[in-house]
């Protein structure tokens, strides 16, 4: 019995089979794009998010969870309208920084150059709220609450079964997703 | 002439007992009355919520929620009051009253958090359950602001009665200030919490750090399994409703038990407009109900009425139950109905960081915290404020959420924020407030709700005593966190409005003296003996404990008294 089977069994015992069966599996890429943003802007955001949280040996990066679409949707749905302007300011600042430092667009820089641009931008004192703070907040939220981030970059245990107060942490062990 | 369907005597509208409200106390009234053989009508103003079937988000993963748990801005801006509740989010908002649906007038700022559905707020409560001690019952008389008509010893067997059925986890701590109950195994502490416990109890003789007690089945007993409830899975997603039935709610426990007797009629969408008073008998004859959907008015009749509409709505119903005998509201001969509302002072919290313990972690999500029973003014008045506070504690390691404010990008950044971060420790207070006559609710003379019932005016505020108590909590909290070795200690006054504690109590208080109170020692209205009030409205004082367990015990006790009196022909 694998993990999913075990959980299904537990839910079944509790009479929650109907709920379990009804679980949707949605991804951000499947959601409609917020209006007012073109595909290039969304792609740029995804690349910024993937630079903040890149693919590593153990788990894919934020680009693998359609992070640009998530940042746009979340900004539109959950933040005051001013956040859209902050986001646009961030994209334009990052584009300008790329041009200024490397003479080309962010999207054609290699990873080290992209990290350089974002690191320098993060350290710059710009008008508050700092756009990179907004982008980073949503990148972190979107990635670690996506199935990929929660289950591969972290440890995801939706039904722990018990609380153990003292567990030895071995080197390299990851945080809980929940 | 034959009775019309809504006349007294018409069987489909006549019951032995009526219970107004299906929340944590109404559920208990229903269970006790039904199990005693009374045909009982439970009136619930909101929709039906069936255990498990109507918990649509209970098993959802974070990625199944469109905004990953955050509420869209249109919902947030439309609910300036509800949005302040910590439990109101994308996975739970369907269990909370939306501001626009049920307006009220705030004479002083008051955040009224409500759950209008079968099960009421028992679906979304914080589930912390502690008995009161004798000091809590005796304190108001000692301090001269009220008098409980019952003692701890009288309520103790009823605490046991409800604890055995509900399932309460906790340790047998042997403290006079927080009596032990009928416990299931307690939750564990983590290593930093054990460290904090040892340091604090080593430094302060009268301050006991114990594991929190909560209504979760840590090891279900046969009576819990018989209810169809199972072991707590340590998910800590309780506010969505528990598909395992692992925490106590009306939906999972008392209402099914009541229904199993065959004596329960549960009627959702039933807004009680008033309680009907019969001059000929000197008693209540029933209730007038407005159907929330059709807006049609109906009347139901019974020999006894339990009012469990949740504190402020219980006040509203009684205030609106006006008759020639009671022009100012049922039982209100002295104008005290709606007065002496009190709550819990939750404003203060502290946090700090703890160094070390880097190889220690935990697994699972515990649905409770450590706590410290009140240690202020317990045996005598010893501070510049009246009464005291309970303290809640917790320690944990920073998680991925701290990544939002962690500098850096790239693989090293990702690596850092996916590992457990430094330990933090936090403390919050649950302070007693003194019921004051000026803190009151009354009926609006100008505004009515969509069913034509007067809206409620809330006039409830803080007092200097609450400020002094808060100051003391900050000083004692600071010295305790220092004793633990915490660094970067921060104190925070949320300045939150009364009400956000969701521990509103009083307005229909119990007391020995019918001139100074509304209810007798059995929760009967002094002036109308077949009406019982056993929700938060009956509370003479607030104690420092989470109140629901006491509401449950008072309800079960009053219901059994009502049954006995009915059998004797006294009601």
């Amino acid at each position: 019995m694998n993990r999913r089977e075990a959980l299904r069994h537990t839910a079944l015992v509790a009479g929650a089979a109907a709920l379990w069966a009804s679980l949707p599996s949605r991804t951000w890429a499947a959601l409609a794009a917020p209006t007012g943003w073109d595909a290039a802007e969304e792609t740029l955001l995804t690349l910024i998010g993937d630079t903040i949280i890149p693919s590593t040996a153990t788990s894919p990066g934020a680009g693998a969870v359609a992070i640009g679409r998530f940042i746009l949707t979340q900004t539109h749905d959950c933040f005051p309208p001013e956040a859209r302007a902050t986001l646009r300011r961030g994209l334009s600042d990052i584009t300008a920084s790329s041009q200024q430092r490397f003479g080309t667009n962010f999207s054609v820089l290699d990873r080290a150059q992209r990290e350089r641009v974002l690191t320098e931008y993060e350290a710059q004192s710009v008008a508050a709220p700092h756009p990179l703070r907004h982008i980073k907040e949503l990148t972190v939220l979107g990635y670690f609450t996506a199935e990929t981030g929660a289950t591969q970059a972290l440890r995801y245990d939706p039904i722990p079964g018990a609380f153990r107060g003292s567990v030895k942490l071995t080197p390299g062990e990851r945080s809980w997703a929940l | 002439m034959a009775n019309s369907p809504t006349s007294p005597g018409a069987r489909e509208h006549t019951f032995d007992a009526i219970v107004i409200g299906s929340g944590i106390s109404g559920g208990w009234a229903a269970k006790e009355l039904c199990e005693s053989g009374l045909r009982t009508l439970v009136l619930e103003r909101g929709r039906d919520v069936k255990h498990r079937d109507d918990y649509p988000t209970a098993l959802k993963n974070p990625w199944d929620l469109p905004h990953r748990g955050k509420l869209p801005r249109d919902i947030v801006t439309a609910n300036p009051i509800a949005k302040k509740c910590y439990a109101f989010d994308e996975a739970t908002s369907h269990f909370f009253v939306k501001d626009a649906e049920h307006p009220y007038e705030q004479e002083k700022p008051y955040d009224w958090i409500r759950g209008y559905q079968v099960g009421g707020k028992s679906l979304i409560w914080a589930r912390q359950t502690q008995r009161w001690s004798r000091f809590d019952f005796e304190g108001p008389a000692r301090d001269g602001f009220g008098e409980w008509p019952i003692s701890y010893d009288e309520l103790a067997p009823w605490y046991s009665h409800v604890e055995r059925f509900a399932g309460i986890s906790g340790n047998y701590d042997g403290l006079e200030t927080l009596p032990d109950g009928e416990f299931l195994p307690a939750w564990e502490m983590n290593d930093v919490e054990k460290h904090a416990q040892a340091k604090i109890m080593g430094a302060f003789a009268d301050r006991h750090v114990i594991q929190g007690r909560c209504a979760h089945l840590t090891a279900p007993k046969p009576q819990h399994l018989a209810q169809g409830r199972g072991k707590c899975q340590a998910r800590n997603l309780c506010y969505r409703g528990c598909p395992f039935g692992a925490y106590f709610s009306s939906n999972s426990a008392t209402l099914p038990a009541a229904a199993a007797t065959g004596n329960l009629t549960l009627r959702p969408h039933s807004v009680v407009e008033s309680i009907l008073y019969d001059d000929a008998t000197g008693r209540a004859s029933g209730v007038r109900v407005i159907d929330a959907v059709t807006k049609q008015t109906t009347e139901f009749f019974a020999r006894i009425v339990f009012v469990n509409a949740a504190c402020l709505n219980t006040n509203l119903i009684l205030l609106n139950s006006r008759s020639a005998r009671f022009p100012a509201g049922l039982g209100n001969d002295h104008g005290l109905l709606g007065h002496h509302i009190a709550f819990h002072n939750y404003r203060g919290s502290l946090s700090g960081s703890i160094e070390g313990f880097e190889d220690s972690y935990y697994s699972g999500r515990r649905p409770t915290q450590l706590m410290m029973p009140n240690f202020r003014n317990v045996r005598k008045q010893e501070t510049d404020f009246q009464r005291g506070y309970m303290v809640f504690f917790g320690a944990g390691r920073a998680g991925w959420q701290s990544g939002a404010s962690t500098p850096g990008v790239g693989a090293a950044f990702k690596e850092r924020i996916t590992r457990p971060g430094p330990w933090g420790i936090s403390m919050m207070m649950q302070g007693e407030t003194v019921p004051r006559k000026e803190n009151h609710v009354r009926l609006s003379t100008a505004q009515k709700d969509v069913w034509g019932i007067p809206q409620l005016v809330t006039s409830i505020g803080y007092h200097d005593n609450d400020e002094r108590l808060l100051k003391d909590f900050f000083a004692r909290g600071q010295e305790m966190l220092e004793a633990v070795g915490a660094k970067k200690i921060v104190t925070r006054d949320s300045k939150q409005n009364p009400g956000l504690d969701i521990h509103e109590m009083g307005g229909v208080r119990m007391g020995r003296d019918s001139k100074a109170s509304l209810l007798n020692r059995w929760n009967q209205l002094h002036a109308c003996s077949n009406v019982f009030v056993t929700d938060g409205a009956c509370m003479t004082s607030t104690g420092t404990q989470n109140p629901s367990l006491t509401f449950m015990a008072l309800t079960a006790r009053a219901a059994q008294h009502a049954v006995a009196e009915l059998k004797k022909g006294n009601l």
Side-chain angles (χ1 to χ4, degrees):
Chain A
M1 194 157 66
N2 66 24
R3 176 81 178 148
R4 191 178 163 84
E5 277 299 297
L7 293 179
R8 197 187 66 82
H9 183 72
T10 311
L12 201 64
V13 169
L19 272 177
W20 187 261
S22 71
L23 284 185
S25 71
R26 258 194 302 253
T27 69
W28 275 99
L31 290 184
T35 53
W37 300 84
D38 61 34
E41 288 167 319
E42 185 180 321
T43 305
L44 176 56
L45 262 179
T46 297
L47 190 60
I48 294 168
D50 197 65
T51 306
I52 294 170
I53 299 181
S55 170
T56 49
T58 48
S59 55
V65 302
I67 200 70
R69 178 68 56 90
F70 176 77
I71 294 169
L72 289 176
T73 307
Q74 202 81 351
T75 301
H76 272 249
D77 291 358
C78 301
F79 285 79
E82 307 86 84
R84 298 172 201 181
T86 302
L87 195 52
R88 282 195 195 284
R89 177 156 59 90
L91 294 183
S92 120
D93 286 351
I94 289 166
T95 300
S97 299
S98 304
Q99 286 290 351
Q100 196 178 358
R101 175 163 277 282
F102 297 109
T104 184
N105 277 340
F106 189 79
S107 59
V108 297
L109 301 180
D110 66 22
R111 179 166 295 281
Q113 291 169 325
R114 294 200 308 267
E115 289 183 2
R116 182 87 177 254
V117 168
L118 294 188
T119 305
E120 287 178 3
Y121 183 46
E122 186 172 41
Q124 268 176 36
S125 56
V126 299
H130 198 306
L132 196 71
R133 174 67 199 257
H134 178 79
I135 295 170
K136 184 182 271 190
E137 177 188 330
L138 290 182
T139 300
V140 166
L141 175 68
Y143 179 70
F144 290 117
T145 57
E147 185 164 11
T148 300
T151 62
Q152 297 184 49
L154 300 170
R155 287 185 287 163
Y156 182 68
D157 192 359
I159 307 182
F163 174 79
R164 288 185 296 146
S166 183
V167 178
K168 178 103 176 146
L169 185 68
T170 56
E173 220 164 19
R174 295 170 196 287
S175 302
W176 297 110
L178 293 175
Chain B
M1 195 177 80
N3 283 327
S4 79
T6 59
S7 303
R11 184 171 165 81
E12 60 269 33
H13 281 253
T14 303
F15 295 82
D16 296 323
I18 290 171
V19 178
I20 305 171
S22 64
I24 214 152
S25 65
W28 268 102
K31 170 178 144 58
E32 298 293 316
L33 297 171
C34 285
E35 288 181 347
S36 298
L38 301 191
R39 288 179 61 249
T40 303
L41 172 67
V42 174
L43 297 167
E44 165 53 51
R45 67 176 301 154
R47 68 187 170 101
D48 196 9
V49 172
K50 293 246 183 321
H51 179 49
R52 295 195 185 107
D53 295 347
D54 292 328
Y55 305 157
T57 57
L59 286 169
K60 286 206 189 302
N61 298 295
W63 53 88
D64 298 323
L65 300 166
H67 301 93
R68 308 289 167 93
K70 304 242 183 284
L71 277 168
R73 188 170 158 74
D74 54 349
I75 297 175
V76 171
T77 50
N79 291 280
I81 298 164
K83 75 160 189 196
K84 295 181 189 172
C85 178
Y86 61 95
F88 182 70
D89 65 29
E90 191 174 34
T92 63
S93 62
H94 48 284
F95 290 145
F96 289 81
V97 161
K98 308 305 176 294
D99 292 7
E101 293 167 7
H102 299 285
Y104 60 99
E105 290 179 39
Q106 301 176 57
E107 193 163 82
K108 296 175 185 170
Y110 185 86
D111 294 326
W112 191 10
I113 308 296
R114 294 156 289 174
Y116 290 172
Q117 61 248 330
V118 167
K121 297 195 295 296
S122 79
L123 284 169
I124 48 178
W125 66 312
R127 311 164 312 284
Q128 306 305 299
T129 42
Q130 314 98 27
R131 292 186 178 203
W132 280 33
S133 73
R134 71 177 182 87
F135 304 110
D136 301 295
F137 286 102
E138 294 164 9
R142 186 196 76 184
D143 291 354
F145 64 81
E147 188 180 26
W148 276 93
I150 58 168
S151 66
Y152 171 72
D153 289 338
E154 286 174 271
L155 199 59
W158 295 100
Y159 275 129
S160 292
H161 177 78
V162 297
E163 284 164 348
R164 279 193 291 265
F165 181 81
I168 307 296
S169 75
N171 280 314
Y172 291 90
D173 297 297
L175 301 175
E176 202 181 1
T177 48
L178 205 74
D180 292 332
E182 313 285 333
F183 290 146
L184 304 174
W187 294 88
E188 293 181 9
M189 296 186 187
N190 64 41
D191 288 339
V192 169
E193 290 167 342
K194 284 179 205 157
H195 165 79
Q197 180 189 40
K199 290 290 182 189
I200 292 171
M201 291 178 71
F204 306 98
D206 59 342
R207 304 187 198 175
H208 300 279
V209 177
I210 66 172
Q211 184 54 267
R213 301 168 180 179
C214 61
H216 284 251
L217 300 180
T218 48
K221 294 196 165 181
Q223 69 264 29
H224 306 125
L225 297 171
Q227 296 168 30
R229 299 171 57 203
K231 180 176 179 285
C232 178
Q233 301 296 311
R235 300 174 344 122
N236 202 19
L237 300 176
C238 317
Y239 301 102
R240 303 175 181 188
C242 183
F244 304 95
Y247 75 81
F248 174 86
S249 66
S250 297
N251 312 63
S252 68
T254 45
L255 291 176
T261 64
N263 291 323
L264 173 71
T265 302
L266 175 63
R267 196 175 193 278
H269 300 298
S270 299
V271 181
V272 172
E273 187 257 0
S274 61
I275 297 166
L276 306 168
Y277 180 76
D278 183 348
D279 273 316
T281 62
R283 289 191 181 141
S285 58
V287 299
R288 183 172 296 125
V289 167
I290 301 170
D291 188 295
V293 180
T294 66
K295 300 211 167 48
Q296 282 188 331
T297 299
T298 318
E299 291 177 351
F300 294 97
F301 307 95
R303 296 163 73 190
I304 56 171
V305 177
F306 268 69
V307 194
N308 300 89
C311 178
L312 298 192
N313 275 323
T314 286
N315 276 278
L316 190 159
I317 290 169
L318 292 173
L319 286 164
N320 200 42
S321 300
R322 289 168 288 196
S323 57
R325 164 69 184 86
F326 293 110
L330 189 61
N332 191 17
D333 283 332
H334 39 33
L336 292 178
L337 177 61
H339 289 268
H340 299 101
I341 304 275
F343 54 96
H344 276 146
N345 178 352
Y346 267 12
R347 277 170 45 184
S349 62
L350 297 96
S351 60
S353 60
I354 300 284
E355 291 167 5
F357 300 91
E358 275 137 25
D359 61 351
S360 176
Y361 204 25
Y362 38 80
S363 69
R365 293 175 294 282
R366 187 183 59 194
T368 186
Q369 284 188 294
L370 278 56
M371 49 177 288
M372 176 181 290
N374 176 40
F375 57 94
R376 298 309 255 166
N377 303 320
V378 174
R379 288 176 169 79
K380 61 178 182 358
Q381 181 63 39
E382 56 198 15
T383 66
D384 68 348
F385 58 89
Q386 285 190 304
R387 312 311 301 150
Y389 48 84
M390 183 176 275
V391 181
F392 292 100
F393 286 83
R397 300 193 70 155
W400 59 265
Q401 294 84 351
S402 65
S405 54
T406 301
V409 301
F413 169 79
K414 180 182 176 187
E415 177 71 12
R416 188 156 63 245
I417 65 173
T418 51
R419 309 288 176 203
W423 284 88
I425 186 166
S426 63
M427 267 183 180
M428 60 171 276
M429 64 185 283
Q430 185 165 281
E432 180 160 355
T433 68
V434 175
R436 297 177 197 283
K437 192 178 178 203
E438 67 266 25
N439 276 342
H440 74 279
V441 294
R442 62 177 190 272
L443 299 181
S444 170
T445 51
Q447 301 293 327
K448 294 193 168 176
D449 68 16
V450 294
W451 300 282
I453 300 171
Q455 288 184 19
L456 202 64
V457 179
T458 61
S459 186
I460 302 164
Y462 287 109
H463 181 272
D464 282 348
N465 192 66
D466 304 316
E467 307 290 339
R468 291 195 292 272
L469 181 144
L470 173 67
K471 208 172 145 197
D472 185 72
F473 166 70
F474 282 146
R476 303 289 79 77
Q478 177 89 23
E479 73 191 12
M480 286 192 273
L481 286 186
E482 283 169 3
V484 171
K487 306 274 190 285
K488 293 183 262 179
I489 298 169
V490 176
T491 60
R492 180 169 176 266
D493 176 1
S494 71
K495 296 188 165 34
Q496 70 181 45
N497 294 332
L500 199 55
D501 43 289
I502 327 183
H503 284 182
E504 54 270 27
M505 288 176 254
V508 197
R509 66 179 182 174
M510 297 171 72
R512 285 196 178 85
D513 181 358
S514 62
K515 292 184 187 62
S517 62
L518 278 297
L519 302 169
N520 70 11
R521 58 196 308 273
W522 299 106
N523 297 75
Q524 295 165 281
L525 280 176
H526 289 299
C528 186
S529 62
N530 69 335
V531 174
F532 294 75
V533 176
T534 67
D535 61 11
C538 77
M539 299 294 278
T540 308
S541 64
T542 72
T544 60
Q545 290 86 340
N546 294 72
S548 295
L549 187 70
T550 299
F551 303 166
M552 296 190 224
L554 287 169
T555 302
R557 176 178 175 272
Q560 288 305 326
H561 179 75
V563 170
E565 289 293 289
L566 282 169
K567 282 186 181 152
K568 284 188 229 159
N570 291 340
L571 284 177

